[in-house]
Amino acid sequence: MNSDHTQTIKTVQLAWEGNIPLSMHHEDYYFSLKSGLEETRYVYLKQNKLPERWLTHKAAPLHSPFTIVETGFGTGLNFLTAWQAWQNVDQSKRAFSFISIEKYPLTKDDLKRSLANWPELSDLSNALIEQYPYHAKGSHLLSFNHGKVKLLLIFGDVNHDLENHSFIADCWFLDGFTPSKNPSMWTDPLFNLMAKHSDGHTTFSSFTAAGSVRRGLANAGFEVQKTQGFGGKRDMIFGNFLQNTTLTADQNAKWSLPEPKTTSEPKHKDTQKSPTYDALIIGAGLAGITTAASLAEKGLNVAIVDQNNHTVGGASGQSQLALYIKLPTEKNKTSDFISHCTYFSQRFFNEMQKQNPNKIFWHKTGLLQLAWNEKEKIRHTKFLNNNLYPAKFVRGVSSSEVSKLSGIDIDCNGLWFENSGWLEPITFASTILTNPLITVLTKTKVNSFEWCEHNLIWNLNTKDENTSLPVALSSKYLVIANANDAKKFQQLEHLPTQAIKGQVSSLYSDKLKTAKTVLCGEGYLCPPINNWHHFGATFDLQYEHNKPTQAATLENIKSIQRWLPSWMTQHDDIAAITAKDNLTANAGIRCTTPDYMPIVGPAPIYNEMLSHFAALRKDAKSCEQRYGKYYPNLYLNIGHGSKGTVTTPIAAELISALITGSPNPFDASQSAMIAPARFIIRHLKQGRI
Ligand code: SAM
């Protein structure tokens, strides 16, 4: 099968000269063993005036990181050297982001062997090796130092796959093999792309001083200077962006974003009141708490407001949440999107658990998806024949392996996700909310909110549910993460969300077999907690209340008897099981959307969008160069349905990226797939509104 049709990317074949890696593809060395580290320090750090530039603030946006963008990640030596230097700056005023793109990544073993050359970097190298992503195309956002250091590692080609990402580089590390050996990388499109992602502060440097590179950079608007090269090399180049070009970044789906601000200075600074928080988040489910954690990690002072008396109520409040999603059998935009989210979540929960070893919330038990009936068998065969994903992420297993992995005799093949598992949301919430920059305000109901143009803040109209007194809350940024209730706010009435009830059953038994992994068939069964087996869940569009029902309990039992008969046989007497008081249930209301994708991003102003994009009714291809009309600093993070563990951690990073300029975990077309304004645009094109 042509590798373009898979999610995986080819790794590089190396030859080794002692411990020095040589790329067989480009016939060039990655570094010199004698002086590789010093060369990086001289060529990339010194010529870009690092670490000096980390000692100064940048005015806006709030808490924006210092962003280095590199062409050619290779062994990660440049990243690690820059990270080490940043870490040694006592009082860095900016967080550290590194975006790097790599077309032919090293295998993990080759990465280990290459980095073993640099013992002084070993702590940082080990952290990188541990999180080194699957060889899957696209971007992988890695987080280190409790989120202060971010690495967006993009597996793809500099000339095709960087332009889809939104960022402004503070500096460029132009690496990549020497232009004579790798001419297809050093192109005018690359230099123009650099210009589109640079501003008046941007600098660059490169080990090469090839004439074509100097001319290309100069034509794209960079001032290029030559200086002495490292070691025996005659010269190298460095310089800065002159901002004399009129190029702006090509933006896919411009409608999904507000017009970039030309000035970020408040208008009436002297008379303005400060808000109570940098950001307020309405809703304390998985979407809200992960957003709070992500913003607080970037230094924002945040509060989560929820009408319930505890966090992770609602659909996030089950005892066990599986990290599970059914992947399409073909490669398409949806499979790219959800696999991308799943890679992120696996890394995220692992990393959070590692940082907080005293509280256990992430159980990496692995997850088996069973080919339990004819239809699933056909799906699994197709899935495996298409061979879309890295085997470390998912692979086919025989019925004997299924039985061995799960600890239950199961008579069918399966798909094995060895890095998945389940989350205990209440412990997870209490762990990630311990950041002192997060305040949790429960029993507080938000009735409405309005934008104050004078103070440039959102004022919330709230009520303390205990005292019935109003609570004064305001913030610069407001994130709506309260699922189905979002459309109760006047600004968001247009949202097409749909409530679906889900009930999970919990059965106490020391006789039933213990599942060692999460098992998924028609429903799912989690490994038991103290002999409590949790399984479910129902999907009820029509319901009268949000309490558990006997009918839903029966439905869950009948279902698991069908798809996992060796755990609960069809002969088991349902009446006897349900009559005992060792059966309980928990129901929650999911928030779903017409296209099953979450709603994450800036909140559109419905009426203004309608008039601004009216031409779409006649010509679906018009308005391509138009940005959307959005409320200032108002964001949505809802609609995660039953996929909260898969989509909320990465969605939180998207919200942070929009607010602080931290690396965006999605490319432009993925962001558009979940953009809140997509329904308005779609419905206009279809003439439905
Ligand atoms: N910066 C690296 C380090 O710190 O180890 C060394 C980079 S190595 C000299 C050059 C890298 O550029 C190689 O890993 C190569 O695969 C990558 N590369 C070459 N052409 C590329 C392209 N068109 N797009 C993305 N990466 C490319």
Side-chain angles (χ1 to χ4, degrees), residues 204-399:
F204 77 89
S205 66
S206 181
F207 68 93
T208 180
S212 58
V213 175
R214 279 186 283 134
R215 283 189 296 278
L217 283 164
N219 289 341
F222 289 86
E223 185 189 47
V224 183
Q225 299 186 51
K226 258 204 223 174
T227 187
Q228 170 83 52
F230 182 79
K233 291 184 191 158
R234 205 164 55 149
D235 39 31
M236 58 159 286
I237 52 170
F238 70 100
N240 56 297
F241 185 55
L242 292 173
Q243 243 190 339
N244 57 359
T245 66
T246 50
L247 298 173
T248 47
D250 307 315
Q251 182 67 58
N252 267 329
K254 272 193 171 164
W255 54 262
S256 64
L257 288 171
E259 187 150 5
K261 284 186 203 127
T262 43
T263 167
S264 47
E265 275 302 297
K267 291 172 215 147
H268 326 274
K269 220 171 175 176
D270 310 341
T271 58
Q272 272 170 346
K273 283 199 203 115
S274 313
T276 33
Y277 295 95
D278 292 328
L280 280 164
I281 296 161
I282 305 178
L286 272 188
I289 63 168
T290 48
T291 304
S294 174
L295 289 173
E297 169 190 276
K298 318 261 173 334
L300 275 76
N301 182 17
V302 297
I304 310 180
V305 192
D306 198 297
Q307 61 193 9
N308 289 326
N309 58 5
H310 56 87
T311 57
V312 286
S316 312
Q318 305 290 357
S319 309
Q320 295 179 292
L321 295 175
L323 177 50
Y324 169 59
I325 193 114
K326 208 164 183 174
L327 294 163
T329 56
E330 311 283 334
K331 178 173 160 56
N332 55 32
K333 276 170 84 171
T334 310
S335 66
D336 285 351
F337 180 85
I338 57 181
S339 55
H340 182 77
C341 296
T342 314
Y343 306 148
F344 183 89
S345 277
Q346 290 181 346
R347 237 187 354 262
F348 172 82
F349 289 126
N350 250 340
E351 195 50 31
M352 288 306 243
Q353 184 60 81
K354 216 177 77 205
Q355 279 171 28
N356 301 282
N358 298 330
K359 289 197 186 173
I360 307 297
F361 49 82
W362 170 237
H363 302 257
K364 204 179 94 178
T365 54
L367 181 147
L368 281 162
Q369 202 178 314
L370 304 177
W372 65 280
N373 64 5
E374 278 314 307
K375 192 170 154 220
E376 284 304 311
K377 269 185 203 145
I378 294 167
R379 253 195 110 256
H380 281 216
T381 308
K382 205 164 163 195
F383 187 93
L384 292 170
N385 285 345
N386 284 348
N387 192 20
L388 298 179
Y389 300 95
K392 272 275 180 205
F393 174 60
V394 57
R395 68 183 169 87
V397 282
S398 65
S399 59

Side-chain angles (χ1 to χ4, degrees), residues 100-163:
S100 187
I101 182 154
E102 176 55 62
K103 189 173 179 182
Y104 309 98
L106 270 68
T107 64
K108 198 166 183 164
D109 285 342
D110 285 339
L111 187 79
K112 270 187 206 160
R113 182 165 169 191
S114 304
L115 293 177
N117 284 305
W118 318 111
E120 69 165 283
L121 296 175
S122 66
D123 284 354
L124 310 187
S125 309
N126 289 340
L128 169 66
I129 290 162
E130 187 156 339
Q131 287 196 48
Y132 196 56
Y134 299 119
H135 290 114
K137 288 172 198 159
S139 58
H140 305 271
L141 181 60
L142 280 52
S143 181
F144 306 98
N145 276 42
H146 298 273
K148 290 280 175 286
V149 174
K150 298 278 181 193
L151 167 64
L152 186 73
L153 181 51
I154 305 167
F155 286 154
D157 190 307
V158 157
N159 282 299
H160 303 118
D161 300 305
L162 200 51
E163 65 193 354

Side-chain angles (χ1 to χ4, degrees), residues 48 50 53-54 58 64-69 94-95 97 167-173 197-204 239-241 661:
N48 282 296
L50 301 174
R53 287 166 71 196
W54 289 326
K58 191 181 176 196
S64 71
F66 188 93
T67 303
I68 297 173
V69 186
R94 314 258 311 263
S97 290
F167 59 86
I168 291 291
D170 288 290
C171 72
W172 291 89
F173 288 5
H197 292 268
S198 296
D199 69 12
H201 305 95
T202 306
T203 62
F204 77 89
N240 56 297
F241 185 55

